[in-house]
Amino acid sequence: VEGAIEVVLLRLTAEGGAVGWGEAAPWVVFTGSPEATLHALHRHIRPHVVGRKLKDRAAIMADAAHAVAHATEAKAALETALLDVTGHAVGLPVHALLGGKCRDEIALSCSIANPDWAADRQLLQRLHADGVRIVKLKTGFKGHAFDLMRLEEIRRDWPQVAIRVDYNQGLQPHEAIARLPEVAAFKPDFIEQPVAAANLTTMARLRARIDVPLLADESVFGPEDLMRAIEAGACDGISVKIMKAGGLMRAQSVARMADRLQFTPAVAEAFVRALEQQSGFRHGEVDMRVAARRAGFPALLFHDPEDRSSPFHNSELIAAEWAGARIVPCPGRGHLRILSTPYVHQQTADFFTARR
Ligand code: MG
């Protein structure tokens, strides 16, 4: 993004003299323009800020949200400046205002996006010497052969470097369906936003065709978009950005929602361990068919026939042993989204009501 982004800086001064800075970094093809950001701040948001109290930050942000649609970078700059000036006024770092620090370091991922591959090879050499071990390869702007060639060379010449692939909406659906399996064969950490932001249906189809995680970036700005993406089964993960979400607090709520809806392997493992401790059974030795044979009540089993976490056949085996069990196939709902499916809620309620 070097040379592509003009930033807008916002300075707020509190009555006692404390100063806070906020920054908007709009990218015109992604979020919006610096001109629109400046205009939103100056004309539409300023009247809701000047003269207000610092402790009313949430109310100020709510007013800003209503004062102008979108303009997420302007709102992010406002919130950052409010947090910064509050931090200076009360003598706390901003992370303390956001719930506390989680970590001291994060791994740096650098973008490889130059159409001139020789120049990017030199950049990779420098990054590698500096200890960078993650690259985000920007793809889909100069042909599939160019992308495969770069993947091959990075894997060959920098084998310790983790690769993430980002198409920035660069493919048509038919291109993505043909190309992504070949890209997935290089085992990148994930493939990001291959098709247009609004095309959640194609995202869901692609997800079923590759065995690496599919990420949504342009498809998910705020919590509302995330709900839609989850409903559509469009992605395995999302890219959380302050400029997209419209501030740190909304970015946090997007991250928390995503966190709750997806068990990472480490969380899943801790969950299984806790279950083993409490139940006294080893996870691998529990056979639901034994429990099914002994159950003295009917059951309703919801299962997506295409479930990738747990095969549908497992439910069939259980139902075969369980007197009065019925399977409700839930195509397209995946393993976890079943829990947020309206007809599943309805049938569950009907099931219990009928038994009263
Ligand atoms: Mg991206």
Side-chain angles (χ1 to χ4, degrees), residues 24-79:
W27 186 18
V28 290
V29 296
F30 201 108
T31 45
S33 68
E35 292 82 0
T37 303
L38 195 65
H39 191 74
L41 282 169
H42 189 67
R43 178 163 169 200
H44 302 293
I45 292 178
R46 185 192 174 98
H48 299 282
V49 179
V50 175
R52 299 285 289 274
K53 298 208 179 313
L54 283 180
K55 65 181 170 61
D56 294 339
R57 186 175 74 239
I60 297 170
M61 290 309 297
D63 290 343
H66 286 113
V68 53
H70 310 298
T72 50
E73 316 94 318
K75 291 162 190 169
L78 170 67
E79 192 191 50

Side-chain angles (χ1 to χ4, degrees), residues 139 165-169 171 176-177 179-181 183-184 188-196 199-217 219-220 226 229-230 232-239 262 308 337:
T139 47
V165 171
D166 186 1
Y167 279 94
N168 280 100
Q169 316 181 74
L171 300 180
I177 283 165
R179 294 178 190 181
L180 255 49
V183 170
D189 288 352
F190 54 74
I191 299 177
E192 186 172 315
Q193 200 70 54
V195 294
N199 200 345
L200 298 180
T201 317
T202 302
M203 290 282 283
R205 275 193 202 128
L206 289 168
R207 193 175 160 223
R209 279 183 163 79
I210 55 172
D211 55 3
V212 300
L214 188 71
L215 245 73
D217 186 4
S219 290
V220 175
L226 179 56
I230 291 164
C235 53
D236 299 288
I238 51 164
S239 171
Q262 197 76 52
R308 290 190 293 172
R337 288 188 313 280

